Coordinates of all heavy atoms in Angstrom, one line a residue:
A1462 N 52.1 -45.1 2.8 CA 52.8 -46.2 3.4 C 52.4 -47.5 2.8 O 53.2 -48.4 2.5 CB 52.7 -46.2 4.9
L1463 N 51.1 -47.6 2.6 CA 50.6 -48.9 1.9 C 51.1 -49.0 0.5 O 51.4 -50.1 0.0 CB 49.0 -48.9 2.0 CG 48.4 -48.9 3.4 CD1 46.9 -49.0 3.3 CD2 48.9 -50.2 4.1
E1464 N 51.1 -47.9 -0.2 CA 51.6 -47.9 -1.6 C 53.1 -48.4 -1.6 O 53.5 -49.1 -2.5 CB 51.5 -46.6 -2.3 CG 50.0 -46.2 -2.6 CD 49.5 -47.0 -3.8 OE1 50.3 -47.5 -4.6 OE2 48.3 -47.3 -3.8
I1465 N 53.9 -47.8 -0.7 CA 55.3 -48.2 -0.7 C 55.5 -49.6 -0.3 O 56.3 -50.3 -0.9 CB 56.0 -47.2 0.3 CG1 56.0 -45.8 -0.3 CG2 57.5 -47.7 0.5 CD1 56.5 -44.8 0.7
S1466 N 54.8 -50.1 0.7 CA 55.0 -51.4 1.2 C 54.3 -52.5 0.5 O 54.8 -53.7 0.5 CB 54.6 -51.5 2.7 OG 53.2 -51.3 2.8
G1467 N 53.2 -52.2 -0.2 CA 52.4 -53.2 -0.9 C 51.5 -54.0 0.1 O 50.8 -54.9 -0.4
V1468 N 51.4 -53.6 1.3 CA 50.5 -54.2 2.3 C 49.1 -53.7 2.0 O 48.9 -52.6 1.8 CB 51.0 -53.9 3.7 CG1 50.0 -54.5 4.7 CG2 52.4 -54.5 4.0
D1469 N 48.1 -54.7 2.1 CA 46.8 -54.3 1.9 C 46.2 -53.6 3.2 O 46.7 -53.9 4.3 CB 45.9 -55.4 1.5 CG 45.8 -56.5 2.5 OD1 44.9 -56.4 3.4 OD2 46.6 -57.4 2.6
R1470 N 45.1 -52.8 3.0 CA 44.6 -52.1 4.1 C 44.1 -52.9 5.2 O 44.2 -52.6 6.4 CB 43.5 -51.1 3.6 CG 42.9 -50.2 4.7 CD 44.1 -49.3 5.2 NE 43.7 -48.5 6.4 CZ 43.5 -47.2 6.3 NH1 43.6 -46.5 5.2 NH2 43.2 -46.5 7.4
R1471 N 43.4 -54.0 4.9 CA 42.8 -54.9 5.9 C 43.9 -55.5 6.8 O 43.8 -55.5 8.0 CB 42.0 -56.0 5.3 CG 41.3 -56.9 6.3 CD 40.5 -57.9 5.6 NE 39.8 -58.8 6.5 CZ 38.9 -59.8 6.2 NH1 38.6 -59.9 4.9 NH2 38.4 -60.5 7.1
T1472 N 45.0 -55.9 6.2 CA 46.2 -56.5 6.9 C 46.8 -55.4 7.8 O 47.1 -55.6 9.0 CB 47.2 -57.0 6.0 OG1 46.6 -58.1 5.2 CG2 48.4 -57.5 6.7
W1473 N 47.0 -54.2 7.2 CA 47.6 -53.1 8.0 C 46.7 -52.8 9.2 O 47.3 -52.6 10.3 CB 47.7 -51.9 7.1 CG 48.1 -50.6 7.8 CD1 47.3 -49.8 8.5 CD2 49.5 -50.2 8.1 NE1 48.1 -48.8 9.1 CE2 49.4 -49.0 8.8 CE3 50.7 -50.7 7.6 CZ2 50.5 -48.3 9.2 CZ3 51.9 -49.9 8.0 CH2 51.8 -48.8 8.8
D1474 N 45.4 -52.6 9.0 CA 44.6 -52.3 10.1 C 44.6 -53.3 11.2 O 44.6 -53.0 12.4 CB 43.1 -52.1 9.7 CG 42.9 -50.8 8.8 OD1 43.8 -50.0 8.9 OD2 41.9 -50.7 8.1
N1475 N 44.7 -54.6 10.9 CA 44.8 -55.6 11.9 C 46.1 -55.5 12.6 O 46.2 -55.6 13.9 CB 44.7 -57.0 11.2 CG 44.7 -58.1 12.2 OD1 43.9 -58.3 13.1 ND2 45.7 -59.0 12.0
W1476 N 47.2 -55.3 11.9 CA 48.5 -55.2 12.5 C 48.5 -54.0 13.5 O 49.0 -54.0 14.6 CB 49.6 -55.0 11.5 CG 50.0 -56.2 10.7 CD1 49.5 -57.5 10.9 CD2 50.8 -56.2 9.6 NE1 50.1 -58.3 10.0 CE2 50.9 -57.6 9.1 CE3 51.6 -55.3 8.9 CZ2 51.6 -58.0 8.0 CZ3 52.3 -55.7 7.8 CH2 52.4 -57.0 7.3
Y1477 N 48.0 -52.8 13.0 CA 48.1 -51.6 13.7 C 47.2 -51.7 15.0 O 47.6 -51.2 16.0 CB 47.6 -50.4 12.8 CG 48.0 -49.1 13.4 CD1 49.3 -48.5 13.1 CD2 47.2 -48.3 14.2 CE1 49.7 -47.3 13.5 CE2 47.6 -47.1 14.7 CZ 48.8 -46.6 14.4 OH 49.2 -45.4 14.8
E1478 N 46.1 -52.3 14.9 CA 45.2 -52.4 16.1 C 45.8 -53.4 17.1 O 45.7 -53.1 18.3 CB 43.8 -52.9 15.6 CG 42.8 -53.0 16.8 CD 41.5 -53.4 16.4 OE1 41.2 -53.6 15.1 OE2 40.6 -53.6 17.2
H1479 N 46.4 -54.5 16.7 CA 46.7 -55.5 17.7 C 48.2 -55.6 18.0 O 48.6 -56.1 19.1 CB 46.3 -56.9 17.1 CG 44.8 -57.0 16.9 ND1 43.9 -57.0 18.0 CD2 44.1 -57.1 15.8 CE1 42.7 -57.1 17.5 NE2 42.7 -57.1 16.2
A1480 N 49.1 -55.1 17.2 CA 50.5 -55.2 17.4 C 51.3 -54.2 16.6 O 52.2 -54.5 15.8 CB 51.0 -56.6 17.2
K1481 N 51.0 -52.9 16.8 CA 51.6 -51.9 16.0 C 53.1 -51.7 16.2 O 53.8 -51.0 15.4 CB 50.9 -50.6 16.1 CG 51.0 -49.9 17.4 CD 50.2 -48.6 17.4 CE 50.1 -47.9 18.7 NZ 49.3 -46.7 18.7
E1482 N 53.6 -52.2 17.4 CA 55.1 -52.1 17.7 C 55.9 -53.3 17.2 O 57.1 -53.3 17.4 CB 55.2 -51.8 19.2 CG 54.5 -50.6 19.7 CD 55.1 -49.3 19.3 OE1 56.2 -49.3 18.6 OE2 54.5 -48.3 19.5
L1483 N 55.2 -54.3 16.6 CA 55.9 -55.5 16.2 C 56.6 -55.4 14.9 O 55.9 -55.0 13.9 CB 54.9 -56.7 16.2 CG 55.5 -58.1 15.8 CD1 56.4 -58.5 16.9 CD2 54.3 -59.0 15.6
P1484 N 57.9 -55.6 14.8 CA 58.6 -55.5 13.5 C 58.0 -56.5 12.4 O 57.7 -57.6 12.8 CB 60.1 -55.8 13.8 CG 60.2 -55.5 15.3 CD 58.9 -55.9 15.9
R1485 N 57.9 -56.1 11.2 CA 57.4 -56.9 10.2 C 58.3 -56.9 9.0 O 58.8 -55.9 8.5 CB 56.0 -56.3 9.7 CG 55.0 -56.0 10.8 CD 54.3 -57.3 11.2 NE 53.2 -56.9 12.2 CZ 52.4 -57.8 12.7 NH1 52.5 -59.1 12.3 NH2 51.5 -57.4 13.6
A1486 N 58.5 -58.1 8.4 CA 59.4 -58.2 7.2 C 58.8 -57.4 6.1 O 59.6 -56.8 5.3 CB 59.5 -59.7 6.8
Q1487 N 57.5 -57.4 5.9 CA 56.9 -56.7 4.8 C 57.1 -55.2 4.9 O 56.9 -54.4 4.0 CB 55.4 -57.0 4.7 CG 55.1 -58.5 4.5 CD 54.8 -59.2 5.8 OE1 55.5 -59.0 6.8 NE2 53.9 -60.1 5.8
L1488 N 57.4 -54.7 6.1 CA 57.7 -53.3 6.4 C 59.2 -53.0 6.5 O 59.6 -52.1 7.2 CB 56.9 -52.8 7.6 CG 55.4 -53.0 7.6 CD1 54.8 -52.5 8.9 CD2 54.8 -52.3 6.4
W1489 N 60.0 -53.8 5.8 CA 61.4 -53.6 5.8 C 62.0 -53.7 7.2 O 63.0 -53.0 7.5 CB 61.8 -52.2 5.2 CG 61.1 -51.9 3.9 CD1 60.4 -52.8 3.1 CD2 61.1 -50.7 3.2 NE1 60.0 -52.1 2.0 CE2 60.4 -50.8 2.0 CE3 61.7 -49.4 3.5 CZ2 60.2 -49.8 1.1 CZ3 61.5 -48.4 2.6 CH2 60.8 -48.6 1.4
G1490 N 61.4 -54.6 8.0 CA 61.9 -54.7 9.4 C 61.4 -53.7 10.4 O 61.7 -53.8 11.6
H1491 N 60.5 -52.8 9.9 CA 59.9 -51.8 10.8 C 58.6 -52.4 11.4 O 58.0 -53.3 10.9 CB 59.6 -50.6 10.1 CG 60.8 -49.7 9.8 ND1 61.3 -48.8 10.6 CD2 61.6 -49.6 8.6 CE1 62.3 -48.2 10.1 NE2 62.5 -48.6 8.9
S1492 N 58.2 -51.8 12.5 CA 56.9 -52.0 13.0 C 56.0 -51.0 12.2 O 56.5 -50.1 11.5 CB 56.8 -51.6 14.5 OG 57.1 -50.3 14.7
C1493 N 54.6 -51.1 12.4 CA 53.7 -50.2 11.8 C 54.1 -48.7 12.2 O 54.2 -47.8 11.3 CB 52.3 -50.5 12.1 SG 51.6 -52.0 11.4
R1494 N 54.3 -48.6 13.5 CA 54.6 -47.2 14.0 C 55.9 -46.6 13.4 O 55.9 -45.5 12.9 CB 54.6 -47.2 15.5 CG 54.8 -45.8 16.1 CD 54.6 -45.9 17.6 NE 54.8 -44.5 18.2 CZ 55.9 -44.0 18.6 NH1 57.0 -44.8 18.5 NH2 56.0 -42.8 19.1
S1495 N 56.9 -47.4 13.5 CA 58.2 -46.9 13.0 C 58.3 -46.8 11.5 O 59.0 -45.9 11.0 CB 59.4 -47.8 13.5 OG 59.3 -49.1 12.9
F1496 N 57.5 -47.6 10.8 CA 57.4 -47.4 9.3 C 56.8 -46.1 9.0 O 57.2 -45.4 8.1 CB 56.6 -48.6 8.7 CG 56.7 -48.7 7.2 CD1 57.9 -49.1 6.6 CD2 55.6 -48.4 6.4 CE1 58.0 -49.1 5.2 CE2 55.7 -48.5 5.0 CZ 56.9 -48.8 4.4
L1497 N 55.7 -45.8 9.7 CA 55.0 -44.5 9.4 C 56.0 -43.3 9.7 O 56.0 -42.3 8.9 CB 53.8 -44.3 10.3 CG 52.6 -45.2 9.9 CD1 51.4 -45.0 10.9 CD2 52.2 -45.0 8.5
I1498 N 56.7 -43.4 10.8 CA 57.7 -42.4 11.1 C 58.8 -42.2 10.0 O 59.1 -41.1 9.6 CB 58.3 -42.6 12.5 CG1 57.3 -42.5 13.6 CG2 59.5 -41.7 12.7 CD1 57.8 -43.0 15.0
M1499 N 59.2 -43.4 9.6 CA 60.3 -43.4 8.5 C 59.7 -42.7 7.2 O 60.4 -41.9 6.6 CB 60.8 -44.8 8.2 CG 61.9 -44.9 7.2 SD 61.3 -45.2 5.5 CE 60.7 -46.8 5.7
V1500 N 58.5 -43.1 6.8 CA 58.0 -42.6 5.6 C 57.7 -41.1 5.7 O 58.1 -40.3 4.8 CB 56.6 -43.3 5.2 CG1 55.9 -42.6 4.1 CG2 56.9 -44.8 4.9
S1501 N 57.2 -40.7 6.9 CA 56.9 -39.3 7.1 C 58.2 -38.4 7.2 O 58.3 -37.4 6.5 CB 56.1 -39.1 8.4 OG 55.9 -37.8 8.7
E1502 N 59.1 -38.8 8.1 CA 60.2 -37.9 8.5 C 61.4 -38.1 7.6 O 62.2 -37.1 7.4 CB 60.6 -38.2 9.9 CG 59.5 -38.1 11.0 CD 58.8 -36.7 10.9 OE1 59.5 -35.7 10.8 OE2 57.6 -36.7 11.0
D1503 N 61.5 -39.2 6.9 CA 62.7 -39.4 6.1 C 62.4 -39.3 4.6 O 63.3 -39.0 3.8 CB 63.3 -40.8 6.3 CG 63.9 -41.0 7.7 OD1 64.1 -40.0 8.4 OD2 64.1 -42.2 8.1
M1504 N 61.1 -39.5 4.2 CA 60.8 -39.5 2.8 C 59.9 -38.2 2.4 O 60.3 -37.5 1.5 CB 60.0 -40.7 2.4 CG 60.8 -42.0 2.5 SD 59.8 -43.5 2.0 CE 61.0 -44.8 2.1
I1505 N 58.8 -38.1 3.1 CA 57.8 -37.1 2.6 C 58.2 -35.7 3.1 O 58.4 -34.8 2.2 CB 56.4 -37.4 3.1 CG1 56.0 -38.8 2.6 CG2 55.4 -36.4 2.7 CD1 56.0 -39.0 1.1
K1506 N 58.3 -35.4 4.4 CA 58.6 -34.1 4.8 C 59.8 -33.4 4.3 O 59.8 -32.2 4.0 CB 58.5 -34.0 6.4 CG 57.1 -34.3 6.9 CD 57.1 -34.1 8.4 CE 55.7 -34.4 9.0 NZ 55.6 -34.3 10.5
P1507 N 61.0 -34.2 4.2 CA 62.2 -33.5 3.7 C 62.0 -33.1 2.2 O 62.7 -32.1 1.8 CB 63.3 -34.6 3.8 CG 62.8 -35.5 4.9 CD 61.3 -35.5 4.8
N1508 N 61.2 -33.7 1.5 CA 61.0 -33.5 0.1 C 59.8 -32.6 -0.3 O 59.8 -31.8 -1.2 CB 60.9 -34.8 -0.7 CG 62.3 -35.6 -0.6 OD1 63.2 -35.1 -1.3 ND2 62.3 -36.7 0.1
L1509 N 58.7 -32.8 0.5 CA 57.5 -32.1 0.2 C 57.0 -31.1 1.3 O 56.0 -30.4 1.1 CB 56.3 -33.1 0.0 CG 56.6 -34.1 -1.2 CD1 55.5 -35.1 -1.3 CD2 56.7 -33.4 -2.5
G1510 N 57.8 -31.0 2.3 CA 57.5 -29.9 3.3 C 56.8 -30.4 4.6 O 56.1 -31.5 4.6
Q1511 N 57.0 -29.7 5.7 CA 56.5 -30.1 7.0 C 55.0 -30.0 7.0 O 54.3 -30.7 7.8 CB 57.1 -29.2 8.1 CG 58.6 -29.3 8.2 CD 59.0 -30.6 8.8 OE1 58.4 -31.1 9.7 NE2 60.0 -31.2 8.1
A1512 N 54.4 -29.2 6.1 CA 52.9 -29.1 6.1 C 52.2 -30.0 5.2 O 51.0 -29.9 5.1 CB 52.6 -27.6 5.8
F1513 N 52.9 -30.9 4.6 CA 52.3 -31.8 3.6 C 51.0 -32.5 4.1 O 49.9 -32.5 3.4 CB 53.3 -32.8 3.1 CG 52.7 -33.8 2.1 CD1 52.6 -33.4 0.7 CD2 52.2 -35.0 2.5 CE1 52.0 -34.3 -0.2 CE2 51.7 -35.9 1.6 CZ 51.6 -35.6 0.2
F1514 N 51.1 -33.1 5.2 CA 50.0 -33.9 5.7 C 48.9 -33.0 6.3 O 47.7 -33.4 6.2 CB 50.4 -34.9 6.8 CG 51.4 -35.9 6.2 CD1 52.7 -35.9 6.6 CD2 50.9 -36.9 5.3 CE1 53.6 -36.9 6.1 CE2 51.8 -37.8 4.8 CZ 53.2 -37.8 5.2
G1515 N 49.2 -31.8 6.8 CA 48.2 -30.9 7.2 C 47.4 -30.4 6.0 O 46.2 -30.2 6.1
A1516 N 48.1 -30.1 4.9 CA 47.4 -29.6 3.7 C 46.5 -30.7 3.1 O 45.4 -30.4 2.7 CB 48.5 -29.2 2.6
A1517 N 47.0 -31.9 3.2 CA 46.1 -33.0 2.7 C 44.8 -33.1 3.6 O 43.7 -33.3 3.1 CB 46.9 -34.4 2.8
A1518 N 45.0 -33.0 4.9 CA 43.8 -33.1 5.8 C 42.9 -31.9 5.6 O 41.7 -32.0 5.6 CB 44.3 -33.1 7.3
A1519 N 43.5 -30.7 5.4 CA 42.6 -29.5 5.1 C 41.9 -29.7 3.8 O 40.7 -29.3 3.8 CB 43.5 -28.3 5.1
N1520 N 42.5 -30.2 2.8 CA 41.8 -30.4 1.5 C 40.7 -31.4 1.7 O 39.6 -31.2 1.1 CB 42.8 -30.8 0.5 CG 43.7 -29.7 0.0 OD1 43.4 -28.5 0.2 ND2 44.9 -30.1 -0.5
D1521 N 40.9 -32.4 2.5 CA 39.9 -33.4 2.7 C 38.7 -32.8 3.4 O 37.5 -33.1 3.1 CB 40.5 -34.6 3.5 CG 39.5 -35.7 3.6 OD1 39.0 -36.3 2.6 OD2 39.1 -36.1 4.8
L1522 N 38.9 -31.9 4.4 CA 37.8 -31.3 5.1 C 37.0 -30.4 4.1 O 35.8 -30.5 4.1 CB 38.4 -30.3 6.1 CG 38.8 -30.9 7.5 CD1 39.5 -29.9 8.3 CD2 37.7 -31.6 8.2
L1523 N 37.7 -29.7 3.2 CA 37.0 -28.9 2.2 C 36.2 -29.7 1.2 O 35.2 -29.3 0.7 CB 37.9 -27.9 1.6 CG 38.6 -26.9 2.6 CD1 39.5 -26.0 1.8 CD2 37.5 -26.0 3.3
R1524 N 36.8 -30.8 0.8 CA 36.1 -31.7 -0.2 C 34.8 -32.3 0.5 O 33.9 -32.6 -0.3 CB 37.0 -32.8 -0.6 CG 38.0 -32.5 -1.7 CD 38.6 -33.7 -2.3 NE 39.3 -34.6 -1.3 CZ 40.5 -34.5 -1.0 NH1 41.3 -33.5 -1.6 NH2 41.1 -35.3 -0.1
N1525 N 34.8 -32.4 1.8 CA 33.7 -33.0 2.5 C 33.0 -31.9 3.4 O 32.6 -32.2 4.5 CB 34.1 -34.2 3.3 CG 34.6 -35.3 2.4 OD1 33.9 -36.1 1.9 ND2 35.9 -35.4 2.3
K1526 N 32.9 -30.7 2.9 CA 32.5 -29.6 3.7 C 31.0 -29.7 4.2 O 30.7 -29.2 5.2 CB 32.7 -28.2 3.1 CG 31.9 -28.0 1.8 CD 32.2 -26.7 1.2 CE 31.5 -26.4 -0.1 NZ 31.7 -25.1 -0.6
A1527 N 30.2 -30.5 3.4 CA 28.8 -30.7 3.8 C 28.8 -31.5 5.2 O 28.0 -31.2 6.0 CB 28.1 -31.4 2.8
Y1528 N 29.7 -32.5 5.3 CA 29.7 -33.2 6.6 C 30.2 -32.3 7.7 O 29.8 -32.4 8.8 CB 30.6 -34.4 6.4 CG 30.0 -35.5 5.6 CD1 30.3 -35.6 4.2 CD2 29.2 -36.5 6.1 CE1 29.7 -36.6 3.4 CE2 28.6 -37.5 5.4 CZ 28.9 -37.6 4.0 OH 28.3 -38.5 3.3
L1529 N 31.2 -31.5 7.4 CA 31.8 -30.6 8.4 C 30.7 -29.6 8.9 O 30.5 -29.4 10.1 CB 33.0 -29.8 7.8 CG 33.6 -28.8 8.8 CD1 34.1 -29.5 10.0 CD2 34.8 -28.1 8.0
E1530 N 29.9 -29.1 7.9 CA 28.9 -28.1 8.3 C 27.8 -28.8 9.1 O 27.2 -28.1 10.0 CB 28.4 -27.4 7.1 CG 29.4 -26.5 6.4 CD 28.9 -26.0 5.1 OE1 27.9 -26.5 4.5 OE2 29.5 -25.0 4.5
Q1531 N 27.5 -30.1 8.9 CA 26.4 -30.7 9.6 C 26.9 -31.4 10.9 O 26.2 -31.3 11.9 CB 25.8 -31.8 8.7 CG 24.6 -32.5 9.3 CD 23.9 -33.4 8.4 OE1 24.2 -33.6 7.2 NE2 22.8 -34.1 8.9
F1532 N 28.0 -32.0 10.9 CA 28.5 -32.8 12.0 C 29.7 -32.3 12.7 O 29.9 -32.6 13.9 CB 28.7 -34.3 11.6 CG 27.5 -34.9 11.0 CD1 27.5 -35.2 9.6 CD2 26.4 -35.3 11.8 CE1 26.4 -35.8 9.0 CE2 25.3 -35.9 11.2 CZ 25.3 -36.2 9.8
G1533 N 30.5 -31.5 12.1 CA 31.8 -31.1 12.6 C 32.8 -32.2 12.4 O 32.6 -33.3 11.8
A1534 N 34.1 -32.0 12.9 CA 35.1 -33.0 12.7 C 36.0 -33.0 13.9 O 36.1 -32.0 14.6 CB 36.0 -32.7 11.5
I1535 N 36.6 -34.2 14.2 CA 37.5 -34.3 15.4 C 38.7 -35.1 14.9 O 38.6 -36.2 14.4 CB 36.8 -35.0 16.6 CG1 37.7 -35.0 17.8 CG2 36.3 -36.4 16.3 CD1 37.0 -35.3 19.1
F1536 N 39.9 -34.5 15.1 CA 41.2 -35.1 14.8 C 41.7 -35.7 16.1 O 41.8 -35.0 17.1 CB 42.1 -34.1 14.2 CG 41.9 -33.7 12.8 CD1 41.0 -32.7 12.4 CD2 42.5 -34.4 11.7 CE1 40.8 -32.4 11.1 CE2 42.3 -34.1 10.4 CZ 41.4 -33.1 10.1
T1537 N 42.2 -36.9 16.0 CA 42.7 -37.6 17.2 C 44.3 -37.5 17.3 O 44.8 -38.0 18.3 CB 42.4 -39.1 17.2 OG1 42.9 -39.7 16.0 CG2 40.9 -39.2 17.2
D1538 N 44.9 -36.8 16.3 CA 46.4 -36.9 16.3 C 47.0 -35.6 15.9 O 47.9 -35.5 15.0 CB 46.8 -38.0 15.3 CG 46.3 -37.8 13.9 OD1 45.4 -37.0 13.7 OD2 46.8 -38.4 13.0

Side-chain angles (χ1 to χ4, degrees):
L1463 294 180
E1464 287 291 331
I1465 292 172
S1466 66
V1468 174
D1469 65 88
R1470 185 59 188 254
R1471 184 175 180 179
T1472 298
W1473 173 275
D1474 288 344
N1475 182 61
W1476 289 352
Y1477 197 86
E1478 180 179 358
H1479 298 291
K1481 66 181 177 182
E1482 301 292 351
L1483 182 66
R1485 309 277 184 179
Q1487 299 94 321
L1488 300 178
W1489 311 349
H1491 284 275
S1492 67
C1493 289
R1494 182 171 181 273
S1495 66
F1496 191 72
L1497 290 180
I1498 292 172
M1499 184 267 292
V1500 172
S1501 173
E1502 304 304 318
D1503 296 343
M1504 295 182 176
I1505 302 302
K1506 289 183 180 180
N1508 293 289
L1509 299 178
Q1511 296 295 313
F1513 176 83
F1514 296 111
N1520 289 335
D1521 186 58
L1522 283 175
L1523 295 179
R1524 280 195 302 269
N1525 297 280
K1526 63 180 180 178
Y1528 287 95
L1529 178 59
E1530 289 171 348
Q1531 183 173 359
F1532 300 110
I1535 186 166
F1536 284 87
T1537 61
D1538 58 345

